[in-house]
Amino acid sequence: MRFSEKLNEYMEQLSCSARDICNLSGISAASFSRYKNGERVPELGTRPFEDLCDAVAQIAAQRELPDITAAFVKESFMECDDFIT
């Protein structure tokens, strides 16, 4: 699975929008759009990657899905075929 596919899967599972994730993560709409469309993949250990994982986990917590933690999200993204390590 590609990073963009996993990101879109989380958005669908959590019923959240790009705006929701951008607001929580501080990632610009333009950068997020590139991630979502598969044009770009964040690198491991960078602030955008960490903030993206945290934002997904925060939304999951709001939706009462405690199994989707930041660590779980990071691991699932790192398993993507096109993830940059």
Side-chain angles (χ1 to χ4, degrees):
M1 178 175 285
R2 295 176 45 88
F3 184 88
S4 61
E5 293 169 330
K6 180 53 88 175
L7 180 58
N8 285 306
E9 186 177 274
Y10 276 126
M11 291 177 68
E12 185 175 321
Q13 181 180 4
L14 300 173
S15 298
C16 67
S17 68
R19 174 179 269 171
D20 295 333
I21 295 175
C22 289
N23 287 341
L24 286 172
S25 68
I27 295 171
S28 72
S31 289
F32 186 81
S33 177
R34 289 183 192 102
Y35 297 151
K36 189 174 178 307
N37 294 322
E39 298 168 16
R40 193 169 168 207
V41 177
E43 292 184 39
L44 179 64
T46 62
R47 174 163 227 116
F49 177 67
E50 297 296 326
D51 291 346
L52 176 63
C53 294
D54 289 342
V56 171
Q58 285 178 38
I59 293 168
Q62 291 170 0
R63 306 284 195 270
E64 299 182 4
L65 297 168
D67 293 339
I68 302 177
T69 63
F72 179 84
V73 174
K74 286 179 194 178
E75 183 145 340
S76 68
F77 279 143
M78 290 169 56
E79 292 173 357
C80 292
D81 299 331
D82 58 344
F83 187 73
I84 301 167
T85 56

